[in-house]
Amino acid sequence: MIRYGLARLLHLFFVIFFVSTFTFLLLRLAPGDPAYILLTKHNVPASEEALIALRAELGLTESLWSQYIHWLKDAILWDWGTSYVSKEPVVKELVYRLPATLELAFAGLLVMFFVTIILGISTAIYSNNCLDLVGRILAIVGSSVPTFWLGFLFIYFFSVQFGWFPSMGRGTLQHLVLPAITLGLGLGMVYARILRTNMLELNNQPFVKAAKMRGISRTRIFIFHIFKHAFLPVLTMLGTSLAFMLAGSVIVETIFSWPGLGKYIIDAINMRDYPVIQGYVVFTSCLFVTVHIIVDFIYIVLDPRLTVR
């Protein structure tokens, strides 16, 4: 188990190294001059002299290799540079916005989890009847609707028409409801279909037939005998989804003006704020790989038959 953990930590190191290198090169190849954008933002004439002076101040006149080595040495010491726009340390900015993104991601994961469990189990138990048909239609529709369109739909009905929930901002539980449902509903529908399929396939296994012969009810068999085995593949995807929500809630945060990392990175991309973009990519890469490692360990704990080599 210790060797497995060390191997995964080594994996984490290599992933972060390659992601940071690739991101650094892509940013320098992308169109847009940070110096020009910054001068324009502050209504300063973008003369050639002003551009050269600001590029030198930002360290953009050094060679690519020199810039990368400088950034990498600082990043190892937990110094991811200073934002071109706010002049604040990137680490401080990311840590300041992280609680909002964590709050939204875990709320979205909770929505996704309950939708998966309730819809997946109920459609498996009552397969081939009206409830199953309605559940499958909801699953197909829910998993097909784009997230941004679902968000706008919720805002129109539940904020504008009914006035039940605020359409933007963060502060109370009501602010969290619509963004969390928008984030978690679609994935929950997808996983509910997968869980239903897994449970129906396991329904013909010998251990299930043995349970039926002992006179155990169909509902009890599905919940207490089949669910544990059917849920293991879904668990891996749930871990991936948490990482996706932490790193990829950009659209939802933008639609609902949620003050998290997603909205922050959109602003940074528009301003070509290189230190912020690089720091965000490394930060989310760490989160993504760490969540996968935790899920792998949970998988082993839930199914001891799996051995670690």
Side-chain angles (χ1 to χ4, degrees):
M1 183 69 78
I2 295 175
R3 288 180 58 189
Y4 178 75
L6 291 175
R8 296 310 304 264
L9 286 177
L10 189 63
H11 178 213
L12 170 65
F13 173 78
F14 279 111
V15 168
I16 293 171
F17 175 75
F18 283 111
V19 167
S20 63
T21 305
F22 190 61
T23 305
F24 182 88
L25 293 175
L26 278 183
L27 282 175
R28 267 56 183 184
L29 293 174
D33 183 352
Y36 179 82
I37 296 174
L38 281 173
L39 290 174
T40 306
K41 178 180 183 337
H42 293 93
N43 298 320
V44 176
S47 63
E48 192 63 29
E49 293 78 11
L51 287 172
I52 292 173
L54 186 53
R55 286 172 190 151
E57 182 183 337
L58 299 176
L60 298 175
T61 53
E62 301 175 15
S63 65
L64 278 181
W65 176 250
S66 177
Q67 289 181 49
Y68 180 67
I69 293 297
H70 181 74
W71 179 83
L72 190 61
K73 285 168 60 180
D74 290 341
I76 293 173
L77 300 175
W78 205 247
D79 178 5
W80 294 348
T82 303
S83 168
Y84 293 163
V85 179
S86 66
K87 307 299 181 187
E88 294 285 342
V90 172
V91 172
K92 180 183 175 183
E93 297 267 308
L94 293 177
V95 170
Y96 175 75
R97 289 169 174 78
L98 182 61
T101 295
L102 284 177
E103 181 182 320
L104 178 59
F106 280 105
L109 189 70
L110 202 61
V111 171
M112 183 184 69
F113 181 79
F114 279 113
V115 170
T116 301
I117 298 298
I118 295 173
L119 194 62
I121 293 179
S122 60
T123 53
I125 293 176
Y126 301 102
S127 58
N128 299 322
N129 66 13
C130 292
L131 179 62
D132 180 34
L133 180 63
V134 173
R136 280 188 289 167
I137 292 174
L138 285 176
I140 293 173
V141 173
S143 58
S144 304
V145 175
T147 302
F148 71 90
W149 191 79
L150 192 64
F152 287 128
L153 205 64
F154 284 156
I155 288 175
Y156 176 75
F157 283 107
F158 300 115
S159 296
V160 178
Q161 295 297 323
F162 303 139
W164 291 348
F165 301 102
S167 61
M168 59 180 64
R170 174 183 179 237
T172 65
L173 185 61
Q174 283 185 314
H175 286 90
L176 185 61
V177 172
L178 293 185
I181 295 176
T182 304
L183 193 60
L185 187 62
L187 284 174
M189 295 290 187
V190 174
Y191 295 155
R193 294 175 62 189
I194 296 173
L195 181 61
R196 174 188 178 276
T197 303
N198 291 342
M199 293 183 76
L200 291 178
E201 287 178 354
L202 286 167
N203 192 33
N204 296 318
Q205 295 297 312
F207 73 95
V208 176
K209 293 180 180 177
K212 291 178 180 175
M213 291 176 65
R214 293 200 301 272
I216 301 175
S217 68
R218 177 181 169 86
T219 303
R220 189 176 177 82
I221 289 174
F222 267 105
I223 295 176
F224 293 101
H225 294 262
I226 296 178
F227 174 72
K228 176 183 175 182
H229 303 282
F231 189 68
L232 284 175
V234 179
L235 177 65
T236 305
M237 291 182 285
L238 285 175
T240 305
S241 300
L242 175 60
F244 167 78
M245 288 180 179
L246 287 170
S249 58
V250 176
I251 296 174
V252 176
E253 290 189 4
T254 303
I255 291 174
F256 292 95
S257 294
W258 190 264
L261 293 175
K263 187 174 183 303
Y264 180 53
I265 192 61
I266 288 293
D267 296 338
I269 291 172
N270 290 332
M271 294 300 298
R272 302 296 189 273
D273 199 342
Y274 291 166
V276 172
I277 300 171
Q278 288 170 197
Y280 175 83
V281 171
V282 172
F283 187 70
T284 51
S285 300
C286 291
L287 286 175
F288 200 88
V289 179
T290 303
V291 168
H292 273 81
I293 292 174
I294 293 172
V295 169
D296 286 347
F297 278 104
I298 294 175
Y299 205 100
I300 293 169
V301 170
L302 291 178
D303 191 351
R305 294 173 301 173
L306 297 174
T307 57
V308 179
R309 297 180 180 177

